[in-house]
Amino acid sequence: NAETAVIKISEVILSINAFDYNCHVDLIKLLKQEGELFRLRKARQKMSELFPLTEEIWLDWLKDEIRLTEEEPNREKVYDLFERAVKDYICPDIWLEYAQYSIGGMGSPGGIDKVRSIFERAVTAVGLHMTKGQTVWEAYREFENAILSTVQPPPGRIPSREEQELLNTQLERIHTLFRRQLAVPLMDMEATYAEYEEWSEHGVPDTVIHQYKKALQQMEKCKSFEESLLVAEPPKLAEYQAYIDFELKEGDPARIQITFERTLAENCLVPDMWAKYTTYLDRQLKVRDLVLSTHERAVRNCPWTMGLWKSYLLALERHGADHQVVSDVFEKALNAGFIQATDYVEIWQAYLDYLRRRVDFSKESSKELEELRGAFSRSLDYMKQDVEERFGESGDPSCIIMQIWARIEALHCKNMQKARELWDSIMTKGNAKYANMWLEYYNLERSYGDSVHCRKALHRAVQCTSDYPEHVCEVLLTFERVEGSLEDWDVAVQKTETRLNRINEQRAKVAEKEANLARQEEERAEQRRKAKSDKKAQKKVQKGTRFGEKRKAEQDDYQDEWNDDSEQAPKRHRGNGDQTTEEYMETETGLFGRNAPPGYKPAPPGTKKDQAAAAAAQRHNDDKPELRNDNSSVFISNLAYTLEEPETKLRTLFETCGPIKQIRPVFSNRGSFKGYCYVQFESPVSVAEALKLDRREVEGRPMFVSPCVDKNKNPDFKVFKYNTSMEKHKIFISGLPFSCTKEQLEEICKIHGTIKEVRLVTYRSGKPKGLAYVEFGDETQASQAVLKMDGMEVGDNKISVAISNPPRRNLMDKPGSSRTTTDMMPRQVFGSRGRGRTQLSLLPRSLHRQSGAVSKVENGTAAEQVPAAASVSVNAPSETKPLSNSDFAKMLLNK
C-alpha cells in the first residue's frame, strides 16, 4: 500500500543521509501506524544514537516498550531505556513515568529500595521545577503512604515492638518528605502545607513553618517569571533568559541549574545557551560527572558549533579524562560539519594545545612528543585537503598552526633547523610580502637562533616586504648598529636605500596615475556641466521662437529645480535578501533604471490628446511651487507606468498617515506617468507613518517609500542598507524555468510547511530571471525545504535551493558593475530541530565554497545586479558572427 511505499522511501533516504532528523520522525510515525513494533524499535534505536530525543518521542517509546515487556519477564531492558531517556533532557514527566514503572517491580527482591532510589533521583533532578516538581513530590508521598498502610496493624490489635519501630520509621519518612517539599518554592505550595497540617497529629513544627515561609517568599519573587512563561509563545527564550539572570543574581546553584535545564528543554538548538550553561558549570559547580555529561549533551544538540566542542575538550582535560576519550571526542568534532574554515583551525589548535601539555620536554624523545609532531603534520594535511576542498580556503592564511609548531620546536626541542624549515614553508604561502611575518621570524631567531640567521632574515625581509618596507629597514639598521661590523653596516645602508628608492618611485607613479584619473574625471564632470548649460540655453532660445513648446520648457525648469540635478536623480539601494533594485529617475529623458517597468511604451509623436494631458499635468505641478517642503515630503517610486490616476490612488493610500498638502506625480513630456512621485504632508510628523508603507504592494509591484533628501547636499545619504544577515526562514531558489508561475512554485513548496510569501524575481520589463524567494512560517520548515528541494527537477530544469544568505556588498559597487562573492563570510546557523544537524553538513558544496565567478547565480543579489545586456550575453554563443552593413540595414527595415 501507499504507507509501505513511503516507509521504504524513508528508509532509502536515511541510508543515504542518516542525519535527516525529520525523516527519522516521519519513519517512526509511519511504522507505529502500521503496527511494525520490531522495526519501530530498531528505527527509534538508530535515531537515539544520532540525536537527543524530545520528551514526546521518549514517552511514546517508553510506553510502547512497557506494553511489549508485559509479556516478557525481563524488566531490565525498560530500566536501561529509562536511564537513557533521563540523560537527554531534564523532563519531570519522564521521571514520573520512570518512578511509577518501578513501583510495578517493588515485589521483587530489593524492589522497594529501588523505587525509593529512583524517587530520590527524581526529586533531586526535577524537584525544584516550580510548576511540575510538585507532582513528583506527591507521587513519592503517595508511594510511602501505600507502604505505611501495609505496616500498620489491624484495628484493635496492639502492634509488637518490631512492628511499632517499623511503623515509626515509615511515619518519619512521610514527615521528612513533607518537610523537604515545604522547604522548596513550588507553585500551589499552600495546599501542601494545609495537607501537612491535617495529616500531622502533633501539628507543624516551628522549624518547618520557618522554612515554609522562606520558601513562600522565594516563590513570590519567582512568580512573575513563571507567569510570563505561562503566557509566552514557545520557545520563550527571552523569558527564560530573564529568569536565568535573576537566578544568577540570587546565587542558588540548584535553582540556577534547574532553570538552565528548563530553558534548554525548549531551546535545545541555541548554542549560546549551552555555552552559558557549561561555562557556569565549569567555573562554579565543577562537579565532574555533571560538567562532562552537560558538555556531551551540548555537542549532541548543536554539533555544528565549534565553541562547544572546544569547551568539551578543555573540560575533559580539566577533569582528567583518559587520553583515548579526549582523542575520540576530537575525531567526532572533525566530523561534526562546522560552517566555516576557521572553525577547523580553532578545534585543531585546541587539540594540539592539549597534546603539547601532555609532553615531558625534559626527555629528548617520547611517545607523546612523536604524537604531537604527528598531529601537527596531520593538521596541515587536513587543512590543505579537506578544508580547502570544502571551503575554497584553508582558514589559516597566516599559518598560525605552523608558527606554533615552529616555536615549540625552537623553545622546547631546541630544534632550530626544523623551525626554519617551517618558516620557509610559511613564507612560500604568500606571507613573504608582510612585514609582521618577517619580524615574527626574526624575533624567533633572535630568541633561539643566532645573529647570522637574524641578519639573513632581515635582508630577505627588506627585499620582499611590500606593506611596511620602512619598518623592516629600520629594524635591519638597528640590528647592525648593535651587532654588525662596518662592512655589515655599509651593506645594510646600501640595501635599504636602494629598496626605499625603488618603493618611492613606485609610489610616485601610482600617485601620478591617481592624479591623472582624478583630473580626467574632473574634466568629464566639467564637460557634463557645460553640456547641460548649453542644453538649457538652447531650450530658452526655442522657448522664444516656438510658442507650442512653452509649457515643455517650463516643465523642464521646474523638474530641474525640484531634483536639483537631473543627472544625479534620486537613487535607492534595497537589500534584505530580496532583489536589489537600483532606480534612476531622470525627469527630462524618462530614464527609469536599466529597464522600463511593466506597461511602459514610448508614446507616439505627440497627438493632441497626449500634449493636452502633459500640459494639464505640468500646469498642476507648476501651480504649486511654493508648497514644496522636503522635511514633510516622501518620495514614492517603483510604481507601474500603467498606473491610472496615480494621484487619486496614492491619496487614498497615504491619507491614513496624516493630512496631505499635495501629491506631485511626475509625467513625461508626452504626458505618460513615469512611475514615481512626491507626497507632501501638512506636518513632518506624518512622514514617519508614511515610511511604514514602504514595500506595500500597489497593483502587483512593491511600492518604495523613502524620505526626500537633496543628494547634492547629502551625497552619502543612504535610506537602505544592504542586509548581510542570514534569513533563516526564507529560501533562495535558482534555475527555475521561465514559465514557472507563482502558483506553481507555491504548490511545490507548500508540502514542506506554511508558505508566507512567494516572490518570483523579474527584470523591470517583467521578464523572469529564473530566481525566487519563498518565505516559510519558521526556520524548521525552511531548512527542511532546502534538504528536500535542492537538486529536484522543475519542468526540464534542475533547481538549486539554499537558505537566503545575502553576500556582503562592496561599498564601491556601482550600477551595472558585477561583483564577486569572495567577501562572503559563513555565519553560524541556529534553528529548529533537524536543521542544525543536517543542513550544515549536507548543503551543496557550492554554498560552502566561495566563488569568484561573477556570472554564477549566487544566493542573494550578486547575479541580479548584472545588467540586462550582460544577462543576455551569458546565454549567447561564445562566438558571435559579426554583422555586415547589409545585416544592420535589414534589422532597421524589419523594425
Side-chain angles (χ1 to χ4, degrees), residues 641-668:
Y641 281 161
T642 55
L643 185 66
E644 296 180 359
E645 298 183 358
E647 182 172 353
T648 303
K649 291 185 178 179
L650 291 175
R651 184 175 297 276
T652 303
L653 189 61
F654 283 94
E655 64 186 0
T656 59
C657 304
I660 297 176
K661 200 166 191 177
Q662 63 172 322
I663 296 179
R664 299 188 293 280
V666 180
F667 295 90
S668 69

Side-chain angles (χ1 to χ4, degrees), residues 138-284:
E138 289 177 351
Y140 195 179
R141 282 192 283 106
E142 288 176 5
F143 166 72
E144 293 295 354
N145 276 319
I147 298 297
L148 177 64
S149 64
T150 63
V151 299
Q152 282 181 332
R157 184 172 73 82
I158 299 175
S160 64
R161 183 177 179 180
E162 290 79 6
E163 290 175 337
Q164 187 64 45
E165 288 180 357
L166 188 60
L167 180 62
N168 291 339
T169 301
Q170 190 61 26
L171 288 171
E172 184 58 31
R173 282 198 180 100
I174 299 174
H175 273 290
T176 302
L177 283 176
F178 268 118
R179 293 165 185 168
R180 288 170 62 189
Q181 182 179 353
L182 290 173
V184 176
L186 298 171
M187 301 297 284
D188 198 26
M189 60 188 304
E190 297 89 344
T192 305
Y193 181 79
E195 182 181 351
Y196 186 35
E197 275 188 317
E198 182 180 350
W199 184 86
S200 177
E201 297 178 355
H202 305 290
V204 181
D206 292 339
T207 55
V208 177
I209 294 175
H210 175 71
Q211 290 179 334
Y212 164 70
K213 290 181 177 180
K214 186 177 179 181
L216 198 61
Q217 291 175 354
Q218 181 66 29
M219 189 269 290
E220 289 298 327
K221 291 181 181 179
C222 301
K223 194 171 182 178
S224 61
F225 296 103
E226 293 292 344
E227 289 173 349
S228 66
L229 289 173
L230 288 174
V231 300
E233 292 291 330
K236 313 174 186 178
L237 183 59
E239 290 77 13
Y240 274 121
Q241 183 63 64
Y243 204 167
I244 289 172
D245 293 341
F246 166 76
E247 292 293 357
L248 287 171
K249 290 179 181 178
E250 292 290 305
D252 185 344
R255 290 207 54 77
I256 294 171
Q257 183 184 351
I258 190 63
T259 309
F260 267 117
E261 291 290 353
R262 291 175 63 185
T263 304
L264 291 167
E266 296 192 57
N267 297 274
C268 58
L269 296 185
V270 180
D272 289 345
M273 188 57 66
W274 283 107
K276 191 171 183 178
Y277 186 27
T278 53
T279 300
Y280 171 77
L281 296 178
D282 285 335
R283 296 177 180 177
Q284 301 297 327

Side-chain angles (χ1 to χ4, degrees), residues 373 402 405-426 441 444-445 448-450 453 456 460:
R373 284 173 170 160
M402 293 180 72
W405 188 5
R407 189 162 288 275
I408 289 173
E409 291 288 351
L411 172 62
H412 296 294
C413 304
K414 313 302 180 187
N415 188 353
M416 278 302 299
Q417 182 61 34
K418 179 64 177 178
R420 290 171 186 137
E421 291 175 3
L422 289 169
W423 268 102
D424 283 342
S425 179
I426 291 171
Y441 175 39
L444 185 73
E445 287 285 0
Y448 310 109
D450 53 56
H453 286 91
K456 186 183 294 185
R460 291 174 62 192

